[in-house]
Amino acid sequence: MCIVPAGVRSANACNAMEQLGFENTFNLLGGFSNWEGPTE
């Protein structure tokens, strides 16, 4: 799992992980700052 606060970094992280062979990567639009679910 890779968590970033906000912005384009989450999309960049997904792209980098896919290039390394990871499958099923997901980009939360707005990063973790926009997450409205539980955090614990």
Side-chain angles (χ1 to χ4, degrees):
M1 180 182 292
C2 181
I3 299 173
V4 298
V8 174
R9 289 179 286 185
S10 59
N12 290 342
C14 282
N15 289 334
M17 292 174 69
E18 287 170 357
Q19 289 181 2
L20 291 171
F22 287 85
E23 297 178 0
N24 300 318
T25 62
F26 299 93
N27 178 25
L28 176 63
L29 295 180
F32 192 71
S33 298
N34 279 356
W35 176 255
E36 295 179 358
T39 58
E40 296 184 321

